Amino acid sequence: MQCPQCAADIPDDDIFCEACGVRVNTEADPAACSCGARSTEIDDDGFCTRCGKRVRRPASDRIEITLSPLCAAVCDRGKRHARNEDRAGALQVGNSYALVACDGVSASRESELASGAVVASVSESLSRALSEGQAHDAQALMRDAIAAAAALLAAQAPHEGDDNPPSTTVAAALVADGYATVGWVGDSRVYWINRDGARQLTSDHSWMNDVVSAGKMTAEEAGKAREAHAITRWLGADAGENAAPDTARIPVNEEGVLLLCTDGLWNYAPTPEEMTRLIHEANGEDGDALTTARNLVHFANEKGGQDNITAIVLRWKPPAEEDQVTE
């Protein structure tokens, strides 16, 4: 083979001309860097270890999980953030599900490590309990799973000497035995949407929510404050008592959609009424869960994609009438 730039003779399997450095073979190693580094010299974040140039975006920019046509998750970097600090987890055991959404706190160091560690820990705790048939007291199980994740995170990144240790929010759902049990720390949300509309199962741990709940300000007044969306609970080595989760439990004895999402989505549809319309539009004509999750993420990106976006969708159908429960 001859170099088109300097006409030097080069082996057919070379990617770059050794004489002038021009790239001559894109098919042999399409992920190679223009500086001459091969794809094996590109790190996990997509940067060339020779010249430092970003050759490709990391795989974590867009994460998709599909369990079945009924359950899927999409976690996306959005348009404005440099990296994706959200993480998502979805596991199925029989007719039961363990779902987890985490939003790494951008003000903390390497928050994607925190969100990833918490998703993995909570998912493992919940799925193990389901597999072993130990999910009877689901709210206690949820609190224990989140506490274990918080302890693991604190052990992995101690607070000593670090003002901004890796931190994250968490919203998790355990769907088993006819109930959806949710647990959360921070402002990631869980919704139940059925023929009656959307019901927010979580209550944001945020400055705005705290002052409005205490009657100190109206929602309109609080929403104008600079600290409106500051979270008041999180998981991280510096969280202390602020890592305490809240839990809730509802029967799910009819068809509906369980949605877990981070504020990168719900900020664009903050009310139950807006979320109801959004879900109905995202579902389309009997779309599967992955299509719905993709449409939700697309909606947020079309609105500006100011933050990372996570949507976990469970299109719930009760297993059988005799298994349904009332409360």
Side-chain angles (χ1 to χ4, degrees):
M1 181 170 61
Q2 193 173 60
C3 174
Q5 179 73 23
C6 68
D9 291 326
I10 51 178
D12 290 341
D13 59 350
D14 274 10
I15 301 171
F16 297 91
C17 174
E18 293 186 1
C20 68
V22 71
R23 187 167 183 167
V24 295
N25 190 343
T26 59
E27 295 181 359
D29 195 355
C33 181
S34 58
C35 75
R38 294 178 178 271
S39 59
T40 53
E41 297 175 85
I42 310 303
D43 67 18
D44 292 340
D45 291 325
F47 289 97
C48 175
T49 56
R50 283 198 200 177
C51 70
K53 176 184 176 182
R54 171 157 259 165
V55 179
R56 56 174 171 76
R57 297 296 312 181
S60 59
D61 271 12
R62 176 84 172 195
I63 302 167
E64 294 192 351
I65 302 169
T66 304
L67 297 185
S68 73
L70 299 178
C71 188
V74 176
C75 183
D76 188 85
R77 178 173 62 93
K79 292 185 175 181
R80 299 302 179 93
H81 279 214
R83 63 183 186 276
N84 187 9
E85 298 164 325
D86 280 10
R87 292 295 184 270
L91 296 170
Q92 181 177 2
V93 179
N95 291 322
S96 302
Y97 295 86
L99 312 172
V100 190
C102 284
D103 179 357
V105 178
S106 295
S108 70
R109 173 180 57 81
E110 298 180 312
S111 62
E112 69 275 13
L113 301 182
S115 56
V118 170
V119 162
S121 178
V122 174
S123 297
E124 197 277 331
S125 293
L126 297 181
S127 62
R128 183 176 65 248
L130 289 173
S131 298
E132 296 175 355
Q134 301 297 319
H136 308 301
D137 189 346
Q139 286 180 276
L141 171 62
M142 182 67 72
R143 287 190 291 269
D144 290 345
I146 293 176
L152 174 66
L153 185 57
Q156 289 180 344
H159 181 37
E160 293 82 359
D162 188 350
D163 293 334
N164 296 296
S167 304
T168 186
T169 71
V170 61
L174 180 68
V175 184
D177 302 324
Y179 288 90
T181 302
V182 302
W184 71 98
V185 177
D187 63 354
S188 292
R189 293 182 177 181
V190 183
Y191 291 90
W192 171 245
I193 303 100
N194 60 12
R195 59 188 176 184
D196 298 323
R199 177 181 174 186
Q200 185 179 330
L201 305 182
T202 56
S203 179
D204 301 343
H205 295 140
S206 66
W207 181 89
M208 177 178 173
N209 206 42
D210 288 354
V211 297
V212 172
S213 298
K216 297 178 180 179
M217 286 186 176
T218 65
E220 184 178 0
E221 291 170 339
K224 296 176 181 178
R226 179 180 298 179
E227 60 269 52
H229 295 291
I231 57 173
T232 54
R233 296 193 205 178
W234 66 96
L235 299 185
D238 60 343
E241 295 180 355
N242 295 319
D246 281 335
T247 62
R249 187 173 187 242
I250 65 163
V252 284
N253 46 22
E254 61 180 339
E255 291 189 12
V257 173
L258 191 71
L259 169 68
L260 286 73
C261 63
T262 57
D263 61 350
L265 174 61
W266 67 253
N267 267 330
Y268 295 113
T271 68
E273 294 76 19
E274 289 173 297
M275 189 58 72
T276 298
R277 290 194 296 270
L278 177 57
I279 283 291
H280 288 161
E281 292 171 1
N283 280 342
E285 293 297 325
D286 298 322
D288 61 19
L290 180 59
T291 298
T292 300
R294 284 173 172 171
N295 287 341
L296 291 172
V297 169
H298 177 73
F299 161 82
N301 275 321
E302 285 295 294
K303 287 291 185 178
Q306 296 284 341
D307 203 350
N308 304 146
I309 311 153
T310 293
I312 305 176
V313 175
L314 172 61
R315 296 173 63 88
W316 176 250
K317 295 183 179 181
E321 184 176 348
E322 59 269 22
D323 295 329
Q324 295 180 12
V325 296
T326 58
E327 185 176 70

